[in-house]
Amino acid sequence: MKVYLDLILIINFFYDFILLIAVGLINKRIINIKKITIGSFIGSLSILLLFYDINNLLIFIYKLILSFIMIIISYPK
């Protein structure tokens, strides 16, 4: 079975992008596409940890921290 890493990153990027836009619309925030794109890119990098042999607790903590970073970058206030 082949795993295409570029497709996984692109699909995860678009999911993060749509999720950040939906959060902005639900919270009635001003949406800056540039900031949301940067936040989505950072969020898509978290998928790279699935290919490393790391403890599940460390992966969870890393993903939690990246989620906070995504929100801080996308919605600074």
Side-chain angles (χ1 to χ4, degrees):
M1 183 171 148
K2 293 183 181 180
V3 176
Y4 294 104
L5 188 59
D6 56 345
L7 289 177
I8 293 172
L9 286 173
I10 291 170
I11 290 170
N12 194 11
F13 172 80
F14 284 119
Y15 279 140
D16 289 338
F17 187 80
I18 291 171
L19 185 67
L20 286 173
I21 286 178
V23 167
L25 291 175
I26 290 171
N27 289 332
K28 298 177 183 171
R29 298 252 184 176
I30 297 172
I31 297 174
N32 188 350
I33 298 297
K34 211 181 270 188
K35 289 182 180 181
I36 289 180
T37 305
I38 294 170
S40 300
F41 179 72
I42 290 173
S44 68
L45 291 179
S46 70
I47 202 73
L48 294 176
L49 280 179
L50 294 178
F51 299 104
Y52 290 114
D53 189 26
I54 303 175
N55 187 2
N56 288 339
L57 181 63
L58 290 176
I59 291 175
F60 176 73
I61 292 171
Y62 180 73
K63 286 191 174 227
L64 191 68
I65 290 170
L66 272 181
S67 298
F68 284 126
I69 291 171
M70 281 173 52
I71 292 171
I72 289 171
I73 288 174
S74 298
Y75 309 109
K77 291 184 180 180

XYZ file of all heavy atoms in Angstrom:
637
model
N 0.842 -1.179 0.000
C 0.000 0.000 0.000
C 0.886 1.241 0.000
O 1.810 1.358 0.791
C -0.884 -0.011 1.240
C -1.827 1.117 1.315
S -2.967 0.843 2.675
C -3.258 2.494 3.156
N 0.591 2.149 -0.895
C 1.366 3.381 -1.002
C 0.675 4.494 -0.233
O -0.542 4.629 -0.265
C 1.528 3.787 -2.455
C 2.378 2.852 -3.253
C 2.535 3.360 -4.661
C 3.374 2.391 -5.457
N 3.548 2.857 -6.835
N 1.475 5.292 0.427
C 0.976 6.454 1.144
C 1.574 7.679 0.473
O 2.790 7.839 0.423
C 1.370 6.408 2.638
C 0.927 7.666 3.334
C 0.783 5.187 3.301
N 0.716 8.521 -0.059
C 1.174 9.739 -0.706
C 1.122 10.878 0.311
O 0.060 11.394 0.646
C 0.303 10.055 -1.918
C 0.444 9.015 -3.006
C -0.533 8.060 -3.217
C 1.571 9.006 -3.809
C -0.396 7.111 -4.213
C 1.722 8.065 -4.805
C 0.740 7.117 -5.001
O 0.886 6.183 -5.971
N 2.285 11.254 0.794
C 2.378 12.242 1.856
C 1.892 13.611 1.398
O 1.258 14.334 2.174
C 3.825 12.331 2.352
C 4.083 13.169 3.575
C 3.275 12.634 4.747
C 5.550 13.189 3.903
N 2.144 13.961 0.144
C 1.702 15.261 -0.341
C 0.178 15.374 -0.355
O -0.379 16.411 0.023
C 2.283 15.556 -1.718
C 1.955 14.478 -2.741
O 1.531 13.379 -2.343
O 2.129 14.750 -3.944
N -0.508 14.301 -0.728
C -1.975 14.336 -0.712
C -2.523 14.413 0.710
O -3.501 15.118 0.969
C -2.540 13.121 -1.427
C -2.366 13.103 -2.940
C -2.894 11.812 -3.514
C -3.074 14.285 -3.550
N -1.884 13.706 1.619
C -2.326 13.758 3.015
C -2.161 15.163 3.570
O -3.056 15.687 4.245
C -1.547 12.733 3.859
C -1.920 11.316 3.443
C -1.811 12.939 5.342
C -1.084 10.249 4.077
N -1.038 15.816 3.259
C -0.814 17.181 3.740
C -1.808 18.165 3.125
O -2.321 19.044 3.818
C 0.619 17.613 3.430
C 1.699 16.996 4.293
C 3.076 17.369 3.768
C 1.552 17.425 5.728
N -2.079 18.015 1.838
C -3.014 18.937 1.178
C -4.431 18.763 1.711
O -5.123 19.752 1.993
C -2.966 18.738 -0.350
C -1.628 19.235 -0.891
C -4.112 19.452 -1.044
C -1.371 18.863 -2.336
N -4.864 17.529 1.879
C -6.219 17.284 2.399
C -6.344 17.798 3.829
O -7.342 18.446 4.177
C -6.559 15.791 2.312
C -6.743 15.387 0.851
C -7.820 15.464 3.104
C -6.850 13.901 0.632
N -5.321 17.559 4.651
C -5.349 18.051 6.024
C -5.326 19.574 6.051
O -5.983 20.197 6.885
C -4.176 17.479 6.806
C -4.327 17.681 8.286
O -5.383 18.063 8.764
N -3.273 17.426 9.022
N -4.590 20.197 5.138
C -4.562 21.659 5.054
C -5.961 22.207 4.772
O -6.409 23.152 5.416
C -3.584 22.099 3.963
C -3.619 23.567 3.678
C -2.954 24.450 4.511
C -4.323 24.072 2.600
C -2.985 25.815 4.262
C -4.363 25.413 2.341
C -3.687 26.297 3.173
N -6.659 21.604 3.803
C -7.997 22.099 3.476
C -9.004 21.847 4.599
O -9.878 22.680 4.849
C -8.488 21.496 2.162
C -7.845 22.126 0.959
C -7.081 21.364 0.099
C -7.991 23.469 0.699
C -6.480 21.938 -1.012
C -7.401 24.058 -0.398
C -6.636 23.290 -1.258
N -8.872 20.729 5.296
C -9.750 20.489 6.451
C -9.506 21.531 7.541
O -10.457 22.069 8.117
C -9.545 19.095 7.028
C -10.263 18.003 6.292
C -9.659 16.775 6.085
C -11.544 18.172 5.807
C -10.302 15.759 5.409
C -12.205 17.166 5.126
C -11.578 15.966 4.936
O -12.224 14.975 4.266
N -8.245 21.813 7.826
C -7.934 22.834 8.827
C -8.423 24.210 8.383
O -8.942 24.982 9.189
C -6.430 22.879 9.097
C -5.933 21.669 9.844
O -6.752 21.013 10.517
O -4.724 21.370 9.766
N -8.265 24.508 7.103
C -8.708 25.791 6.568
C -10.217 25.956 6.718
O -10.697 26.984 7.205
C -8.300 25.889 5.091
C -8.541 27.227 4.473
C -7.656 28.265 4.692
C -9.644 27.455 3.675
C -7.865 29.497 4.128
C -9.866 28.686 3.101
C -8.978 29.716 3.321
N -10.970 24.945 6.328
C -12.433 25.004 6.440
C -12.856 25.073 7.902
O -13.784 25.812 8.258
C -13.059 23.797 5.722
C -12.858 23.941 4.218
C -14.538 23.659 6.049
C -13.240 22.713 3.426
N -12.168 24.338 8.759
C -12.493 24.357 10.183
C -12.244 25.736 10.796
O -13.074 26.236 11.563
C -11.673 23.293 10.913
C -11.976 23.089 12.375
C -13.371 22.506 12.544
C -10.954 22.159 12.988
N -11.132 26.368 10.448
C -10.849 27.703 10.985
C -11.829 28.744 10.454
O -12.230 29.650 11.186
C -9.410 28.105 10.657
C -8.330 27.394 11.470
C -6.956 27.735 10.937
C -8.439 27.736 12.933
N -12.234 28.628 9.204
C -13.242 29.555 8.672
C -14.580 29.351 9.376
O -15.262 30.311 9.728
C -13.374 29.397 7.148
C -12.164 30.008 6.468
C -14.640 30.062 6.630
C -12.155 29.887 4.975
N -14.950 28.103 9.614
C -16.216 27.820 10.298
C -16.194 28.362 11.722
O -17.186 28.928 12.187
C -16.474 26.319 10.310
N -15.076 28.211 12.414
C -14.966 28.752 13.783
C -15.083 30.268 13.753
O -15.740 30.870 14.606
C -13.635 28.299 14.431
C -13.339 29.076 15.695
C -13.670 26.812 14.720
N -14.462 30.904 12.764
C -14.565 32.362 12.648
C -15.985 32.820 12.365
O -16.434 33.833 12.898
N -16.703 32.087 11.536
C -18.083 32.459 11.237
C -19.004 32.225 12.427
O -19.905 33.034 12.691
C -18.588 31.677 10.022
C -17.950 32.038 8.680
C -18.446 31.103 7.588
C -18.243 33.483 8.332
N -18.787 31.135 13.147
C -19.627 30.852 14.312
C -19.399 31.886 15.401
O -20.346 32.343 16.044
C -19.357 29.426 14.832
C -19.909 28.408 13.841
C -19.955 29.217 16.218
C -19.513 26.985 14.138
N -18.137 32.277 15.602
C -17.820 33.270 16.643
C -17.972 34.701 16.166
O -17.687 35.638 16.913
C -16.397 33.055 17.153
C -16.284 31.813 17.973
O -17.241 31.375 18.599
N -15.105 31.221 17.972
N -18.398 34.882 14.910
C -18.607 36.200 14.312
C -17.360 37.066 14.405
O -17.404 38.232 14.780
C -19.807 36.897 14.947
C -21.094 36.153 14.730
C -22.250 36.813 15.413
C -23.493 35.951 15.195
N -24.607 36.395 15.987
N -16.233 36.474 14.037
C -14.955 37.175 14.010
C -14.673 37.665 12.602
O -15.199 37.141 11.625
C -13.819 36.237 14.427
C -13.933 35.712 15.802
C -12.920 36.353 16.622
N -12.951 35.792 17.976
C -12.102 36.146 18.875
N -11.179 37.006 18.590
N -12.172 35.649 20.071
N -13.809 38.662 12.501
C -13.351 39.123 11.196
C -12.355 38.094 10.674
O -11.393 37.741 11.355
C -12.700 40.518 11.308
C -13.736 41.531 11.793
C -12.099 40.931 9.986
C -13.157 42.884 12.109
N -12.590 37.612 9.473
C -11.767 36.547 8.918
C -10.697 37.149 8.019
O -10.999 37.816 7.027
C -12.631 35.552 8.122
C -13.634 34.892 9.060
C -11.765 34.516 7.445
C -14.627 34.007 8.358
N -9.434 36.928 8.394
C -8.300 37.326 7.588
C -7.759 36.065 6.916
O -7.203 35.190 7.576
C -7.230 37.984 8.468
C -6.114 38.583 7.659
O -6.010 38.376 6.463
N -5.265 39.345 8.326
N -7.930 35.978 5.616
C -7.584 34.757 4.880
C -6.097 34.441 4.999
O -5.710 33.270 5.082
C -8.002 34.895 3.393
C -9.498 35.081 3.279
C -7.542 33.701 2.580
C -10.310 33.905 3.775
N -5.253 35.462 5.039
C -3.816 35.237 5.135
C -3.458 34.542 6.452
O -2.681 33.589 6.480
C -3.088 36.577 5.032
C -1.720 36.502 4.401
C -1.068 37.866 4.376
C -1.438 38.570 3.090
N -0.685 39.825 2.924
N -4.044 35.022 7.545
C -3.765 34.423 8.853
C -4.340 33.019 8.959
O -3.733 32.133 9.556
C -4.318 35.307 9.962
C -3.542 36.577 10.137
C -4.091 37.394 11.272
C -3.306 38.672 11.429
N -3.800 39.480 12.528
N -5.504 32.808 8.383
C -6.108 31.481 8.412
C -5.297 30.497 7.572
O -5.143 29.340 7.935
C -7.580 31.549 7.957
C -8.390 32.235 9.049
C -8.136 30.173 7.660
C -9.842 32.385 8.753
N -4.737 30.972 6.469
C -3.892 30.120 5.641
C -2.634 29.709 6.391
O -2.222 28.541 6.344
C -3.523 30.852 4.336
O -4.713 31.261 3.679
C -2.704 29.959 3.429
N -2.015 30.643 7.101
C -0.819 30.319 7.889
C -1.164 29.353 9.018
O -0.440 28.385 9.274
C -0.173 31.614 8.437
C 0.366 32.453 7.285
C 0.949 31.292 9.423
C 0.802 33.841 7.694
N -2.283 29.579 9.685
C -2.721 28.664 10.734
C -3.023 27.274 10.205
O -2.702 26.263 10.843
N -3.603 27.202 9.025
C -3.887 25.901 8.418
C -2.614 25.173 8.034
O -2.521 23.952 8.164
C -4.751 26.077 7.166
O -5.959 26.677 7.492
N -1.633 25.916 7.559
C -0.354 25.305 7.206
C 0.332 24.724 8.435
O 0.855 23.606 8.396
C 0.548 26.331 6.526
C 1.893 25.782 6.160
C 2.026 24.880 5.126
C 3.018 26.170 6.860
C 3.262 24.367 4.792
C 4.252 25.663 6.542
C 4.379 24.757 5.501
N 0.302 25.446 9.529
C 0.894 24.939 10.772
C 0.132 23.713 11.261
O 0.723 22.743 11.734
C 0.928 26.055 11.839
C 1.948 27.099 11.438
C 1.258 25.502 13.214
C 1.965 28.324 12.290
N -1.175 23.740 11.124
C -1.972 22.586 11.522
C -1.726 21.366 10.658
O -1.752 20.233 11.136
N -1.454 21.592 9.384
C -1.208 20.450 8.502
C 0.147 19.812 8.766
O 0.359 18.647 8.434
C -1.327 20.867 7.041
O -0.275 21.741 6.689
N 1.051 20.539 9.367
C 2.354 19.962 9.702
C 2.261 18.946 10.835
O 3.148 18.107 10.997
C 3.344 21.063 10.079
C 3.778 21.982 8.951
C 4.736 23.037 9.483
C 4.411 21.209 7.825
N 1.181 19.002 11.593
C 1.035 18.065 12.705
C 0.824 16.628 12.228
O 1.067 15.686 12.976
C -0.136 18.483 13.597
O -1.361 18.283 12.929
N 0.400 16.461 10.993
C 0.173 15.124 10.468
C 1.491 14.384 10.260
O 1.524 13.151 10.191
C -0.658 15.194 9.160
C -1.356 13.878 8.880
C 0.199 15.553 7.995
C -2.493 13.607 9.750
N 2.584 15.112 10.185
C 3.885 14.476 9.983
C 4.307 13.622 11.177
O 5.119 12.709 11.030
C 4.948 15.536 9.703
C 4.792 16.299 8.398
C 5.838 17.382 8.298
C 4.858 15.360 7.221
N 3.746 13.906 12.342
C 4.105 13.123 13.531
C 3.577 11.699 13.482
O 4.076 10.836 14.192
C 3.570 13.801 14.791
C 4.383 14.962 15.301
C 3.738 15.552 16.526
C 5.790 14.540 15.605
N 2.604 11.454 12.652
C 2.051 10.101 12.565
C 3.046 9.112 11.979
O 2.894 7.912 12.141
C 0.768 10.111 11.741
C -0.391 10.880 12.350
C -1.570 10.846 11.400
C -0.774 10.296 13.684
N 4.047 9.616 11.288
C 5.016 8.743 10.651
C 6.254 8.510 11.507
O 7.180 7.826 11.090
C 5.406 9.310 9.288
C 4.230 9.410 8.365
C 3.633 10.627 8.102
C 3.699 8.270 7.792
C 2.541 10.721 7.260
C 2.607 8.340 6.952
C 2.026 9.566 6.690
N 6.306 9.077 12.692
C 7.401 8.861 13.624
C 6.958 7.906 14.724
O 5.780 7.840 15.067
C 7.866 10.180 14.262
C 8.568 11.093 13.297
C 8.013 12.307 12.925
C 9.793 10.744 12.761
C 8.656 13.148 12.040
C 10.460 11.577 11.871
C 9.869 12.775 11.524
O 10.514 13.600 10.651
N 7.900 7.212 15.278
C 7.605 6.279 16.372
C 7.765 7.027 17.696
O 8.837 7.027 18.305
C 8.536 5.073 16.303
C 8.121 3.995 17.271
O 6.927 3.938 17.616
O 8.997 3.212 17.685
N 6.676 7.691 18.100
C 6.671 8.504 19.314
C 5.541 8.013 20.207
O 4.537 7.477 19.739
C 6.458 10.002 18.986
C 7.535 10.501 18.020
C 6.504 10.854 20.238
C 7.308 11.925 17.569
N 5.695 8.228 21.476
C 4.683 7.871 22.457
C 3.364 8.592 22.133
O 3.355 9.742 21.718
C 5.183 8.264 23.852
C 4.278 7.777 24.950
O 3.280 7.113 24.702
N 4.640 8.106 26.161
N 2.243 7.912 22.330
C 0.930 8.506 22.039
C 0.644 9.733 22.886
O -0.018 10.668 22.425
C -0.174 7.471 22.232
C -0.182 6.437 21.145
O 0.339 6.668 20.064
N -0.764 5.292 21.425
N 1.123 9.755 24.098
C 0.911 10.915 24.963
C 1.643 12.134 24.413
O 1.100 13.242 24.410
C 1.379 10.607 26.390
C 1.187 11.720 27.401
C -0.295 12.020 27.574
C 1.819 11.363 28.722
N 2.841 11.945 23.914
C 3.586 13.061 23.337
C 2.923 13.585 22.070
O 2.898 14.790 21.830
C 5.023 12.643 23.039
C 5.908 12.407 24.255
C 7.267 11.893 23.817
C 6.047 13.670 25.059
N 2.383 12.695 21.268
C 1.664 13.122 20.062
C 0.434 13.928 20.444
O 0.148 14.967 19.841
C 1.280 11.905 19.192
C 2.528 11.283 18.583
C 0.301 12.313 18.097
C 2.254 10.021 17.814
N -0.287 13.486 21.463
C -1.477 14.212 21.918
C -1.103 15.606 22.419
O -1.760 16.598 22.072
C -2.179 13.416 23.014
C -3.348 14.130 23.612
C -4.526 14.269 22.900
C -3.264 14.685 24.882
C -5.602 14.944 23.441
C -4.330 15.359 25.428
C -5.508 15.488 24.706
N -0.056 15.702 23.212
C 0.374 16.999 23.748
C 0.822 17.915 22.613
O 0.486 19.103 22.587
C 1.484 16.804 24.805
C 0.898 16.123 26.036
C 2.123 18.127 25.171
C 1.925 15.684 27.047
N 1.579 17.356 21.669
C 2.049 18.147 20.539
C 0.875 18.669 19.704
O 0.853 19.835 19.319
C 2.990 17.303 19.687
C 3.543 18.018 18.484
C 4.509 19.002 18.625
C 3.086 17.721 17.209
C 5.018 19.660 17.525
C 3.590 18.374 16.101
C 4.552 19.338 16.262
O 5.051 19.992 15.179
N -0.103 17.838 19.440
C -1.264 18.259 18.656
C -2.102 19.291 19.408
O -2.660 20.208 18.808
C -2.114 17.060 18.262
C -1.489 16.245 17.176
C -2.470 15.249 16.639
C -1.855 14.566 15.453
N -2.747 14.505 14.336
N -2.197 19.147 20.718
C -2.916 20.127 21.524
C -2.232 21.485 21.473
O -2.888 22.521 21.290
C -3.023 19.627 22.967
C -3.948 20.372 23.893
C -5.387 20.155 23.458
C -3.751 19.902 25.314
N -0.912 21.490 21.593
C -0.161 22.742 21.520
C -0.285 23.366 20.136
O -0.482 24.583 20.008
C 1.315 22.494 21.901
C 1.419 22.179 23.391
C 2.180 23.699 21.561
C 2.772 21.690 23.831
N -0.205 22.551 19.087
C -0.360 23.085 17.730
C -1.757 23.639 17.487
O -1.916 24.624 16.759
C -0.045 22.005 16.698
C 1.410 21.896 16.294
C 1.605 20.811 15.262
C 1.941 23.196 15.773
N -2.761 23.044 18.097
C -4.119 23.575 17.965
C -4.234 24.961 18.593
O -4.854 25.861 18.009
C -5.121 22.625 18.612
O -5.104 21.387 17.983
N -3.621 25.137 19.747
C -3.623 26.463 20.381
C -2.854 27.472 19.532
O -3.281 28.621 19.379
C -3.034 26.408 21.788
C -3.969 25.827 22.804
C -3.577 24.773 23.601
C -5.240 26.336 22.977
C -4.427 24.237 24.542
C -6.115 25.814 23.912
C -5.703 24.762 24.698
N -1.734 27.055 18.958
C -0.951 27.950 18.105
C -1.747 28.337 16.866
O -1.727 29.504 16.441
C 0.399 27.299 17.743
C 1.288 27.204 18.982
C 1.114 28.092 16.660
C 2.545 26.403 18.787
N -2.473 27.382 16.290
C -3.320 27.672 15.124
C -4.359 28.736 15.461
O -4.575 29.680 14.696
C -4.048 26.412 14.662
C -3.250 25.467 13.855
S -4.117 23.938 13.517
C -5.655 24.494 12.837
N -4.995 28.593 16.594
C -6.040 29.552 16.983
C -5.447 30.915 17.295
O -6.009 31.945 16.905
C -6.837 28.989 18.186
C -7.630 27.774 17.746
C -7.762 30.049 18.762
C -8.280 27.015 18.869
N -4.307 30.932 17.956
C -3.664 32.217 18.292
C -3.232 32.959 17.023
O -3.367 34.171 16.922
C -2.479 31.989 19.250
C -3.004 31.589 20.624
C -1.602 33.224 19.355
C -1.938 31.135 21.575
N -2.709 32.218 16.050
C -2.281 32.860 14.802
C -3.488 33.326 13.988
O -3.499 34.422 13.448
C -1.399 31.901 13.983
C -0.042 31.757 14.663
C -1.216 32.394 12.555
C 0.854 30.733 14.030
N -4.513 32.507 13.906
C -5.665 32.838 13.058
C -6.532 33.931 13.648
O -7.056 34.784 12.924
C -6.513 31.593 12.823
O -5.769 30.610 12.158
N -6.707 33.921 14.954
C -7.562 34.901 15.641
C -6.770 35.490 16.803
O -6.863 35.012 17.932
C -8.845 34.248 16.145
C -9.552 33.472 15.077
C -9.593 32.086 15.103
C -10.178 34.136 14.031
C -10.245 31.386 14.107
C -10.822 33.430 13.040
C -10.854 32.058 13.085
O -11.490 31.357 12.105
N -6.001 36.550 16.570
C -5.073 37.036 17.595
C -5.721 37.617 18.853
O -5.114 37.584 19.901
C -4.264 38.106 16.871
C -5.002 38.434 15.641
C -5.898 37.303 15.338
N -6.961 38.103 18.788
C -7.549 38.703 19.993
C -8.230 37.680 20.836
O -8.975 36.867 20.450
C -8.535 39.779 19.596
C -7.863 40.978 19.000
C -8.862 42.052 18.726
C -8.189 43.256 18.118
N -9.083 44.325 17.830
